[in-house]
Amino acid sequence: MKKQRTQKELDSIRLSWTLDDKGAILWKRKHVGGKIGDAVGLSKVRGNHRICLLHIDGKCSSFVESNVVWFLRFGEWPGHEIDHIDRDPTNNRVENLRMRSE
């Protein structure tokens, strides 16, 4: 079962991040150590899937990159696992993502 996100988390993502035309997540507000338009820092924590970190109310929350890309493109948090068509979990271009039906 996928982790459901709170409305506060989703609002924070929407206010903080945007997508470029290649599916990269960019900052759309100033942040510690950076500026608007910078790429969001990513780390590989869960298997080969990259993780984005965002501070919300003083707490660091982690999000799987493909879920964030899906949310920013389609406006809803994925209810099922996101599948990478080419099987490359680092290729998060919107056209390479699809939601698994379970």
Side-chain angles (χ1 to χ4, degrees):
M1 185 74 167
K2 284 195 60 61
K3 180 177 180 178
Q4 294 300 313
R5 295 300 183 165
T6 67
Q7 190 60 50
K8 184 163 196 122
E9 288 173 318
L10 299 178
D11 291 344
S12 294
I13 290 170
R14 194 177 289 113
L15 290 170
S16 300
W17 297 336
T18 190
L19 292 177
D20 71 6
D21 58 347
K22 296 179 182 177
I25 304 169
L26 306 176
W27 285 97
K28 65 183 211 181
R29 64 174 176 80
K30 288 184 180 182
H31 58 284
V32 175
K35 62 185 184 311
I36 295 170
D38 285 348
V40 169
L42 302 169
S43 63
K44 291 182 182 178
V45 175
R46 296 186 187 143
N48 290 324
H49 295 275
R50 295 185 294 205
I51 304 298
C52 322
L53 301 175
L54 183 61
H55 289 272
I56 302 169
D57 292 337
K59 177 185 168 215
C60 187
S61 296
S62 63
F63 305 92
V64 175
E65 180 187 20
S66 56
N67 291 340
V68 173
V69 170
W70 185 275
F71 173 69
L72 291 173
R73 173 62 177 89
F74 299 108
E76 65 180 6
W77 195 257
H80 297 287
E81 191 76 24
I82 295 295
D83 181 36
H84 294 79
I85 296 167
D86 68 359
R87 297 183 171 200
D88 177 1
T90 64
N91 180 0
N92 289 301
R93 290 176 179 256
V94 172
E95 61 272 9
N96 189 48
L97 304 178
R98 62 184 171 201
M99 195 180 324
R100 286 186 182 175
S101 59
E102 297 179 298

